[in-house]
């Protein structure tokens, strides 16, 4: 007779069994192969999270996608990463086995990372959009395909039940490696992106992708080095495939048979035994409760897209240290590690006392907290809108005048009188337009100009264009027009435009202390001046022909600046310049995002962890892998929802979209609460009781990885 699995009841009431297990465990050494598997997981998680953390800003900053398109692409990538685990599980269990599946898909994964790195390096010359997408597809296929295999392959290295406690230790170490890899990479790669200059650019996405690519390649090397030590099991039948066949057969027989059955699955009893049919039926009952869950992931995964974009419009300066927008996501895993012990020791015992500690009630509360997080993010966005730049829109035009002379100008524009001091800017950002282009007469009176031979009075015309911002340089030789860039940079870095009049070629330099940041020739041809420069936030000195003309100018995140001036007469060095603010810098501090991250993480701990454990405890033993696969699919569907809403572009204000997601979550969780009223908890018999090692494997292994993964 096959030995019955020990239940939790057995372990508690029969200490001799525990002593026997400990004695048997001493005879077996801890598998050395685990070192290679855990190291492999650390490198892979570092690689994935490092790339993913900067992905949204890469799509906006380098591939020039708008907010909606960048959000949709990001979530399409995450959706694929959570759809491909199904394929990975089928490959491993039905054909290749876990070792070969991990090895082959890791190679594709590394190729994708390398391809993304090469695409981000402009010197290579690969078409950036096409090859970036190819790289992302390979990465999604690789990370998704190996996701269900690595932890299970690690479990295969232990002999059970003799090494049950060793197995528990493995899952704890495995979970730590996931957190450690993701925390380091989520903090480090934004620094590589923003603090390193490469290819004459102020950001270095190629380096931010290269380090994860190296770690992914290293993970393959480490994994292969452990090959002689691994226990490798041959592939068996895949539960997902078997269940699909059973359901398909039942549907077919129901449509062709004239017999009556109590349940439609029972039509498959000519080919499948009653236990299998009963297990599938119970599993489908649990999966009904999964129907509302994708909405949770639709909200949760926006940490890496909408919330990162939101953070890029805020001020991350904390003393002398700058918190980058793509580093905010680090808050989530840090809070998870802090909150889980708090929940286990304080919050859940308190909830038990007031009758709220059942799994389905915890799921409902977690969903409510998640919805509340998006309510908060909507109000933060409402306040943040006050700092947005005023952009030209339908029926409105913007006109700016930049006085490059070192003397004041009084002028009349379209019948109204104005004044501009030397090296200053005048702007009208709400010029009402009834036609596409309106010609405006002006008359300017110049006075007290030193060393500059200009007429005292100048008359002429300039124009305003509907939905455009036109800027006009007032120079010694008249007016010169260019189109102004008033939008903040997609990366959040400050933008600078030299608006300097010169009648000869001069060298314009930007210095940060002793470090030369930029050296550019400003030619006599005025058209060559009109190029914006993206700089990192900091304090700069400006030089003309190697002579300092402006010191200690602070350029802040989100600011758009014009440095206005003129060059000294030929035969002398230097000149005069003044920095004018075209678009105000980010003024709302990034730490205002912390409350929504706290609420979201509270919701995650109660929703994600509880949901996985509920699914595991309620599923038949033979169907637990099916429930894992179904849970992964809810993540994919949730990201699909974000794609649909982002691409639909329903609103012209991001605040409304945040409130929409909050409303959807509230309605969804209410529907979920109604569904739970009709659910009866499965009571396990002693024969079916969850063994200690089974529960530990699920909670510390699969569940922990799922709630750690911030795509979930």
């Amino acid at each position: 007779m096959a030995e019955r699995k020990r239940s939790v009841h057995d372990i508690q009431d029969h200490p001799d069994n525990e002593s026997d297990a400990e004695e048997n465990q001493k005879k077996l050494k801890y598998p050395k192969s685990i070192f290679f598997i855990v190291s492999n997981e650390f490198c892979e998680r570092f690689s994935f999270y490092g790339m993913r953390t900067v992905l949204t800003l890469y799509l906006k900053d380098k591939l020039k996608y708008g907010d909606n398109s960048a959000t949709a692409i990001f979530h399409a990538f995450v959706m694929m990463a959570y759809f491909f685990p199904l394929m990975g599980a089928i490959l491993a269990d039905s054909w290749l086995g876990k070792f070969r599946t991990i090895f082959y898909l890791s190679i594709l994964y590394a190729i994708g990372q390398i391809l993304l790195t090469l695409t981000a390096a402009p010197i290579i010359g690969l078409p950036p959009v096409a090859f970036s997408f190819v790289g992302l597809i390979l990465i999604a296929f690789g990370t998704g395909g190996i996701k269900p295999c690595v932890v299970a392959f690690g479990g295969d290295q232990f002999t059970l039940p003799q090494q049950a406690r060793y197995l528990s230790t493995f899952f704890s170490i495995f979970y730590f490696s996931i957190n450690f890899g993701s925390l380091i990479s989520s903090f480090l790669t934004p620094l590589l992106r923003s603090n390193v200059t490469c290819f004459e650019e102020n950001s270095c996405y190629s380096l931010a992708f290269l380090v994860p690519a190296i770690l992914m390649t290293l993970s393959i090397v480490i994994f292969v080095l452990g090959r002689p030590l691994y226990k490798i099991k041959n592939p068996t039948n895949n539960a997902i495939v078997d269940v699909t066949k059973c359901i398909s057969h039942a549907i077919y027989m129901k449509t062709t048979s004239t017999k009556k059955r109590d349940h439609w699955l029972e039509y498959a009893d000519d080919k499948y035994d009653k236990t299998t049919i009963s297990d599938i039926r119970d599993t489908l009952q649990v999966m009904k409760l999964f129907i509302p869950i994708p909405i949770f992931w639709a909200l949760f995964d926006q940490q890496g897209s909408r919330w990162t974009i939101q953070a890029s419009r805020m001020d991350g300066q904390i003393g002398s240290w700058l918190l980058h927008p793509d580093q905010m996501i680090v808050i989530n895993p840090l809070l998870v590690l802090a909150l889980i012990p708090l929940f286990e020791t304080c919050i859940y015992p308190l909830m038990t006392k007031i009758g709220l500690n059942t799994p389905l009630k915890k799921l409902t509360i977690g969903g409510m907290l998640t919805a509340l997080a998006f309510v908060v993010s909507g109000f933060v966005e409402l306040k943040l809108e006050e700092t947005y730049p005023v952009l030209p829109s339908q029926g409105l035009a913007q006109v700016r005048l930049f006085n490059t002379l070192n003397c004041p100008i009084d002028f009349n524009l379209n019948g109204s009188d104005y004044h501009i001091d030397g090296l200053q800017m005048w702007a009208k950002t709400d010029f009402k337009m009834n036609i596409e282009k309106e010609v405006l007469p002006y008359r300017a009176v110049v006075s007290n100009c030193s060393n500059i031979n200009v007429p005292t009075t100048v008359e002429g015309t300039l124009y305003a264009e509907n939905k455009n911002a036109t800027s006009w340089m007032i120079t010694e030789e008249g007016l010169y027009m260019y189109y102004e860039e008033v939008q903040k940079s997609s990366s959040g870095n400050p933008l600078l435009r030299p608006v300097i009049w010169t009648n000869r070629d001069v060298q314009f330099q930007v210095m940060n202390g002793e470090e030369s940041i930029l050296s550019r020739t400003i030619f006599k041809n005025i058209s060559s001046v009109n190029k914006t420069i993206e700089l990192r936030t900091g304090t700069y000195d400006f030089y003309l022909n190697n002579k300092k003309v402006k010191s200690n100018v602070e350029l802040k995140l989100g600011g758009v600046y014009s440095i206005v001036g003129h060059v000294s007469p030929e035969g002398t060095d230097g000149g005069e310049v003044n920095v004018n603010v075209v678009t105000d810098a980010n003024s709302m501090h990034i730490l205002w995002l912390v409350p929504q991250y706290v609420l979201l993480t509270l919701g995650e701990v109660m929703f994600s962890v509880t949901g996985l454990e509920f699914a595991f405890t309620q599923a038949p033993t033979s169907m637990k892998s099916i429930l894992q696969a179904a849970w992964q699919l809810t993540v994919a569907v949730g990201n699909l929802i974000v794609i649909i809403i982002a691409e639909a572009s329903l609103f012209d204000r991001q605040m409304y979209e945040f409130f929409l997601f909050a409303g959807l979550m509230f309605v969804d969780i209410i529907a979920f609460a109604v569904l739970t009223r009709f659910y009866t908890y499965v009571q396990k018999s002693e024969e079916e009781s969850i063994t200690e090692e089974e529960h530990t494997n699920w909670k510390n292994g699969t569940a922990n990885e799922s709630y750690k993964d911030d795509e979930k």
Side-chain angles (χ1 to χ4, degrees):
M1 179 183 293
E3 183 180 355
R4 180 175 62 87
K5 284 187 176 180
R6 294 182 304 143
S7 68
V8 174
H9 174 80
D10 295 329
I11 294 171
Q12 291 173 343
D13 293 346
H14 300 283
D16 290 342
N17 291 346
E18 188 172 347
S19 300
D20 293 342
E22 289 178 355
E23 184 64 29
N24 290 332
Q25 182 172 294
K26 291 178 181 178
K27 298 177 182 178
L28 297 171
K29 295 182 179 180
Y30 200 94
K32 295 180 180 179
S33 57
I34 293 303
F35 168 80
F36 295 94
I37 295 173
V38 170
S39 299
N40 163 269
E41 182 67 10
F42 167 81
C43 294
E44 189 275 325
R45 289 291 85 185
F46 185 108
S47 177
F48 179 77
Y49 283 104
M51 177 279 305
R52 181 184 180 275
T53 299
V54 300
L55 178 58
T56 297
L57 293 185
Y58 173 71
L59 294 169
K60 282 173 53 63
D61 192 22
K62 293 304 174 186
L63 300 190
K64 303 303 180 184
Y65 283 101
D67 289 356
N68 290 340
S69 296
T71 298
I73 295 168
F74 175 88
H75 287 280
F77 168 73
V78 177
M79 181 185 69
M80 289 189 296
Y82 275 86
F83 173 77
F84 286 133
L86 280 176
M87 299 181 64
I90 293 172
L91 281 173
D93 291 345
S94 301
W95 290 293
L96 297 177
K98 297 183 186 73
F99 175 82
R100 286 192 293 171
T101 299
I102 296 170
F103 177 62
Y104 294 151
L105 294 185
S106 293
I107 292 175
L108 291 180
Y109 191 166
I111 292 173
Q113 290 278 30
I114 293 169
L115 188 58
L116 193 60
T117 301
L118 295 176
T119 304
I123 195 172
I124 303 299
L126 295 176
V129 174
F131 279 85
S132 291
F133 285 172
V134 172
L136 289 174
I137 291 171
L138 291 175
I139 293 169
F141 188 34
T143 190
I146 68 176
K147 185 180 289 290
C149 302
V150 177
V151 66
F153 186 66
D156 288 346
Q157 308 308 305
F158 296 88
T159 302
L160 298 178
Q162 294 93 328
Q163 292 186 307
R165 293 195 174 182
Y166 282 166
L167 181 62
S168 176
T169 304
F170 159 69
F171 282 117
S172 297
I173 297 172
F174 191 84
Y175 175 49
F176 177 81
S177 72
I178 293 170
N179 279 275
F180 194 49
S182 63
L183 280 173
I184 293 175
S185 62
S186 297
F187 182 80
L188 178 62
T189 49
L191 294 179
L192 298 176
R193 171 192 68 80
S194 60
N195 290 2
V196 177
T197 301
C198 62
F199 305 113
E200 297 183 352
E201 298 177 344
N202 287 294
S203 58
C204 196
Y205 285 95
S206 55
L207 180 61
F209 290 143
L210 176 62
V211 173
I214 292 173
L215 265 293
M216 189 60 222
T217 305
L218 180 60
S219 76
I220 299 173
V221 174
I222 292 172
F223 185 69
V224 172
L225 288 176
R227 174 66 176 84
L229 301 175
Y230 296 144
K231 292 180 182 178
I232 299 178
K233 296 182 179 180
N234 293 324
T236 57
N237 291 335
N238 185 275
I240 298 172
V241 175
D242 292 342
V243 169
T244 303
K245 289 180 179 179
C246 179
I247 292 174
S248 300
H249 184 68
I251 295 173
Y252 172 76
M253 293 302 297
K254 182 176 177 9
T255 58
T256 58
S257 175
T258 57
K259 295 181 180 180
K260 297 295 183 181
R261 296 285 193 274
D262 293 335
H263 191 276
W264 62 271
L265 273 171
E266 294 177 2
Y267 284 94
D269 59 5
D270 63 321
K271 189 174 181 181
Y272 296 89
D273 59 78
K274 292 183 178 180
T275 301
T276 300
I277 293 173
S278 177
D279 286 351
I280 295 175
R281 184 175 58 197
D282 292 343
T283 300
L284 292 178
Q285 290 299 317
V286 177
M287 289 175 65
K288 285 181 182 178
L289 295 177
F290 283 10
I291 294 174
I293 287 176
I295 295 293
F296 169 80
W297 301 120
L299 274 66
F300 185 85
D301 280 340
Q302 290 187 60
Q303 290 178 94
S305 57
R306 291 298 198 196
W307 283 13
T308 298
I309 294 171
Q310 190 178 39
S312 71
R313 294 166 177 159
M314 306 179 83
D315 179 14
Q317 199 72 43
I318 304 175
S320 60
W321 180 60
L322 179 65
L323 179 63
H324 298 282
D326 38 358
Q327 287 180 316
M328 280 298 292
I329 203 169
V330 175
I331 293 177
N332 176 253
L334 286 174
L335 286 174
V336 166
L337 292 177
L339 288 175
I340 287 176
L342 179 65
F343 269 84
E344 294 294 336
T345 58
C346 299
I347 297 178
Y348 285 154
L350 179 62
M351 291 176 63
T352 300
K353 291 182 180 180
I354 59 177
L356 294 176
N357 201 28
T358 63
L360 294 178
K361 288 179 180 178
K362 287 194 287 186
L363 281 165
T364 303
I365 295 171
M368 290 292 183
L369 288 170
T370 303
L372 188 59
F374 267 68
V375 172
V376 173
S377 69
F379 281 112
V380 170
E381 184 69 22
L382 177 62
K383 189 66 177 176
L384 187 60
E385 283 183 354
E386 298 176 9
T387 70
Y388 282 6
V390 178
L391 302 178
S393 57
Q394 179 63 42
L396 292 175
Q398 295 186 6
V399 177
R400 288 174 176 82
L401 296 178
F402 291 93
N403 182 7
T404 66
L405 308 177
N406 64 350
C407 51
I409 297 175
D410 294 301
F411 71 100
N412 181 285
L413 180 63
N414 205 32
S416 299
D417 293 323
Y418 303 99
H419 176 85
I420 314 178
D421 287 327
L423 310 180
Q424 297 290 333
M425 175 192 77
W426 172 89
K428 186 173 179 60
T429 58
D430 57 351
F431 204 102
K432 294 183 180 180
M433 300 290 295
N434 296 318
I435 56 177
E436 288 303 305
K437 188 173 182 179
E438 184 174 350
V439 178
L440 307 173
Y442 76 89
R443 181 176 184 273
V445 178
V446 182
S447 58
N448 300 322
C449 284
S450 59
N451 300 321
I452 301 177
N453 184 21
V454 294
T456 303
T457 302
V458 179
E459 295 182 332
T461 59
L462 53 81
Y463 57 84
E465 287 189 8
N466 185 38
K467 297 190 297 183
N468 276 313
T470 55
S471 288
W472 300 80
M473 293 176 60
I474 302 173
T475 74
E476 300 174 33
E477 297 184 1
L479 293 182
Y480 291 86
M481 191 280 292
Y482 63 90
Y483 290 103
E484 190 65 72
E485 185 171 346
V486 296
Q487 181 64 281
K488 299 184 179 187
S489 68
S490 56
S491 65
N493 286 330
L495 297 174
L496 177 72
R497 183 195 298 273
V499 184
I500 301 172
W501 168 252
T502 176
N503 55 13
R504 56 194 172 93
D505 296 350
V506 296
Q507 198 69 19
F508 174 68
Q509 292 173 289
V510 180
M511 302 285 290
N512 186 352
E514 298 298 321
E515 180 185 4
S516 177
I517 304 300
L518 175 78
S519 181
R520 173 181 291 183
T521 300
I522 297 180
F523 298 99
K524 182 178 179 180
N525 180 6
I526 199 67
S527 63
S528 65
V529 177
N530 302 321
K531 296 179 181 178
T532 57
I533 306 162
E534 182 174 326
L535 300 172
R536 294 196 293 270
T537 182
T539 302
Y540 297 93
D541 300 325
F542 300 107
Y543 291 76
L544 289 174
N545 283 343
N546 298 315
K547 182 177 181 180
K548 185 186 294 187
V549 292
K550 195 72 174 178
S551 301
N552 300 323
V553 177
E554 185 177 6
L555 303 183
K556 299 181 179 181
L557 286 171
V560 179
Y561 305 90
S562 287
I563 180 164
V564 182
H566 70 278
V567 178
S568 298
E570 194 164 358
T572 61
D573 293 329
E576 293 182 70
V577 298
N578 184 55
V579 177
N580 290 265
V581 178
V582 175
T583 299
D584 289 331
N586 299 344
S587 57
M588 189 173 180
H589 204 276
I590 200 170
L591 293 183
W592 280 105
L593 296 178
V594 170
Q596 64 198 55
Y597 273 94
V598 172
L599 286 169
L600 188 70
T601 308
L602 287 169
E604 172 195 1
V605 173
M606 296 191 72
F607 197 96
S608 178
V609 182
T610 305
L612 277 165
E613 192 164 355
F614 166 78
F616 179 78
T617 57
Q618 297 296 291
T621 302
S622 62
M623 297 288 117
K624 297 190 189 300
S625 62
I626 302 294
L627 265 297
Q628 288 189 55
W631 187 267
Q632 302 281 348
L633 280 179
T634 64
V635 184
V637 175
N639 281 271
L640 178 61
I641 292 171
V642 181
I643 295 170
I644 293 171
I645 292 178
E647 285 296 283
S649 300
L650 300 175
F651 309 107
D652 57 358
R653 298 171 67 184
Q654 182 59 47
M655 170 191 67
Y656 293 139
E657 186 177 293
F658 284 151
F659 287 144
L660 171 64
F661 276 109
L664 288 175
M665 189 70 224
F666 277 124
V667 172
D668 181 75
I669 207 65
I670 290 171
F672 177 80
V674 172
L675 283 176
T676 63
R677 302 283 294 177
F678 301 96
Y679 183 81
T680 302
Y681 286 94
V682 175
Q683 300 297 326
K684 298 286 185 179
S685 65
E686 185 173 322
E687 288 293 326
E688 298 174 311
S689 293
I690 304 168
T691 64
E692 182 183 47
E693 64 265 24
E694 212 175 18
H695 185 269
T696 300
N697 292 0
W698 177 265
K699 188 174 181 181
N700 289 342
T702 307
N704 280 344
E705 181 175 3
S706 295
Y707 68 65
K708 162 66 208 73
D709 280 359
D710 55 31
E711 317 98 47
K712 306 296 179 296

